[in-house]
Amino acid sequence: MSHYISLTDADRAAMLKAIGVEQIDDLFADVPAEVRFPEVQLPQPMSEMAIRRELAALSGANADAAKQSIFLGAGAYNHFVPSAVDQILRRAEFYTAYTPYQPEVSQGTLQAIFEYQSMICRLTGMDVANASHYDGGTALAEAAIMAVASLRGRRKVVVPPSVNPQYRAIIRTLLQGTEIEIVGDENPEATPAQLAAQLDSSTAALIVQSPDFFGALHDLRPLVEQAHAAGALLIHHFDPIALALFQTPGEARADIATAEGQPLGGGLGFGGPYLGIFTSSEKYMRKLPGRLTGATLDVDGKLAYVLTLRAREQDIRRETATSNICTNQALMALASTVYMALMGRQGLRKVAELCYHRAHYAAAQIATIPGFSVRGDGPFFKEFVVQCPQPVAQINARLLERGIVGGYDLAQDYPHLGDAMLLCVTEMNSREDIDALLDALRG
């Protein structure tokens, strides 16, 4: 064996003999011969300048968020990201997704987590926030597990159909094998209020998304009272931008609150990386997955940051763990921290106001176009459902020809709605963008 190549020819021969084949090519016998080991046709070498021109031409053929007018949301949102966010993320001392395994020697990382947790608590009105999860869907699944772990003898979690269908799929995937019962979304038209009336002594938690997947806002206080009256917890999944204008989970007295943190400086990036925000009331702090960072004074009286509480699942046997989280999205949590610090209270409120007013302008105008209508008459934030006169795929194809990315086709998850799309309007959609969308819908 050489220093750099772990296997010798003799090693390979012994391994092939052990599995009953003569040569490595025999391992690919099931692959059709015409596609096996294709000859790669590479162009001749080019200079750096020529390669840059070639790559620029290729990337210029792609559609991207900077050139298209985007009205697609459904869990990933086109919000403005200040340039300072990326500039700070790229500093060498921060450029990792991991927290250190000797955390107290990495005071900068711990301070960043402490600032993130503190800002998230101020934003949500909740008592504690952990150091983040992979994304909003996994955070919501972990919230369901935490609720069951917090209440003895209750193993049912109620999930309305208005919760993001992808998050409901993640919950079912992560909770399979746990004997936790997931109910509530069998009837696609069931409301959170109807489900809250059905809570019983076996229910651990009622999950409510507000704004929900259709963009509608819900008053959580009566739902919290009904959940608590049944001895269950209420889990609120929220949009962090909406909290600058509307009821926070802390004001509603939610027990656990989660969110997808991508709108807070995460940008759009082919499905990730995203950020799972996870908070709870102090009462359930010791069941919180992940870790908490605190501030203290060292032996010299200087400010220092420490891991204060951690239910580190990797420290215990797997079969006794209550969580699947063993690391966090430190880099994306830092991005949201920088974003919130740059925007401040007034900046976040301004972003939320722009989303709200532009979405309502778009909805009001679309409702006047023959053949189109806006579903629902309740309050909504930045997303709303539009009933269409044609299949959504046809409408979106027509919009794309004009450089417009249309709404989410709800027929994929809610076929009973027929030809309906979920449109999203953020601060990135100008009045001119919305008017162009209206013209395109008019045909």
Side-chain angles (χ1 to χ4, degrees):
M1 181 183 301
S2 74
H3 288 89
Y4 304 106
I5 301 175
S6 58
L7 297 178
T8 65
D9 290 341
D11 294 330
R12 291 192 184 90
M15 293 168 66
L16 292 172
K17 182 179 180 181
I19 60 176
V21 296
E22 295 183 356
Q23 53 189 351
I24 291 177
D25 288 358
D26 295 340
L27 299 175
F28 299 91
D30 293 333
V31 180
E34 62 271 20
V35 297
R36 199 185 309 162
F37 311 119
E39 183 178 349
V40 180
Q41 300 293 334
L42 294 177
Q44 292 298 314
M46 293 186 285
S47 67
E48 181 178 348
M49 286 189 295
I51 290 176
R52 286 192 179 190
R53 282 196 294 269
E54 178 73 10
L55 293 178
L58 290 173
S59 64
N62 294 329
D64 61 58
K67 294 189 300 186
Q68 309 296 117
S69 180
I70 297 177
F71 291 90
L72 180 62
Y77 299 101
N78 185 29
H79 286 291
F80 177 70
V81 180
S83 299
V85 173
D86 196 48
Q87 185 67 27
I88 293 174
L89 286 191
R90 290 176 186 274
R91 290 179 63 95
E93 61 268 41
F94 287 132
Y95 209 49
T96 175
Y98 292 93
T99 48
Y101 281 89
Q102 292 79 34
E104 275 64 38
V105 302
S106 301
Q107 286 292 297
T109 300
L110 288 183
Q111 181 181 356
I113 294 175
F114 179 80
E115 302 285 357
Y116 164 78
Q117 294 175 166
S118 301
M119 290 184 185
I120 292 297
C121 285
R122 292 191 64 181
L123 180 67
T124 61
M126 299 296 283
D127 297 326
V128 291
N130 72 7
S132 76
H133 285 247
Y134 297 125
D135 56 24
T138 56
L140 190 56
E142 291 283 345
I145 296 172
M146 178 176 161
V148 172
S150 300
L151 301 177
R152 291 182 180 274
R154 292 170 177 257
R155 304 193 69 80
K156 184 169 73 177
V157 176
V158 180
V159 186
S162 55
V163 171
N164 188 317
Q166 295 182 0
Y167 296 170
R168 285 186 275 127
I170 291 172
I171 291 173
R172 285 189 163 87
T173 298
L174 293 186
L175 269 61
Q176 61 181 319
T178 63
E179 299 182 353
I180 297 176
E181 184 184 9
I182 309 298
V183 300
D185 55 354
E186 301 85 359
N187 176 6
E189 296 185 341
T191 66
Q194 291 170 336
L195 295 176
Q198 300 173 14
L199 301 182
D200 56 30
S201 59
S202 66
T203 306
L206 169 65
I207 295 177
V208 181
Q209 183 176 352
S210 180
D212 64 23
F213 184 66
F214 306 109
L217 291 156
H218 300 272
D219 181 7
L220 293 183
R221 280 168 292 204
L223 299 174
V224 170
E225 291 176 1
Q226 287 178 275
H228 289 175
L233 306 187
L234 187 128
I235 300 170
H236 176 197
H237 192 82
F238 59 89
D239 179 330
I241 299 294
L243 298 190
L245 278 183
F246 301 106
Q247 184 183 66
T248 67
E251 291 169 342
R253 296 179 54 241
D255 302 289
I256 306 170
T258 62
E260 172 51 64
Q262 177 267 329
L264 300 177
L268 295 172
F270 299 99
Y274 283 170
L275 166 69
I277 296 174
F278 196 107
T279 68
S280 83
S281 63
E282 186 176 359
K283 181 178 180 180
Y284 302 105
M285 180 173 62
R286 293 191 177 279
K287 295 292 185 182
L288 196 77
R291 68 204 75 181
L292 299 179
T293 297
T296 186
L297 300 177
D298 66 10
V299 293
D300 299 321
K302 297 179 181 177
L303 181 64
Y305 298 93
V306 295
L307 280 188
T308 304
L309 182 68
R310 64 172 190 171
R312 289 299 300 274
E313 292 72 26
Q314 63 193 59
D315 293 344
I316 60 177
R317 287 177 297 178
R318 179 178 298 179
E319 61 270 23
T320 60
T322 58
S323 170
N324 187 43
I325 296 298
C326 55
T327 187
N328 66 293
Q329 287 284 53
L331 193 66
M332 303 316 297
L334 176 63
S336 70
T337 305
V338 176
Y339 176 85
M340 288 186 283
L342 289 170
M343 303 302 286
R345 182 189 298 270
Q346 295 304 318
L348 276 175
R349 182 178 177 86
K350 183 66 175 177
V351 172
E353 288 177 344
L354 288 171
C355 294
Y356 178 85
H357 291 299
R358 291 180 180 180
H360 282 70
Y361 167 75
Q365 294 301 312
I366 289 173
T368 66
I369 301 176
F372 290 88
S373 62
V374 177
R375 287 180 64 94
D377 54 3
F380 67 91
F381 177 43
K382 64 185 180 188
E383 290 180 280
F384 53 95
V385 177
V386 176
Q387 205 71 47
C388 305
Q390 299 170 288
V392 173
Q394 293 181 19
I395 295 175
N396 279 341
R398 195 168 73 237
L399 294 176
L400 196 58
E401 292 175 355
R402 302 194 185 195
I404 299 171
V405 177
Y408 183 82
D409 188 351
L410 290 169
Q412 302 174 74
D413 305 289
Y414 303 91
H416 69 288
L417 295 179
D419 297 327
M421 70 164 62
L422 181 66
L423 276 176
C424 175
V425 182
T426 73
E427 79 278 16
M428 297 292 280
N429 300 113
S430 66
R431 173 69 177 265
E432 291 73 19
D433 293 337
I434 299 171
D435 289 341
L437 170 68
L438 299 172
D439 288 341
L441 291 179
R442 292 187 186 100

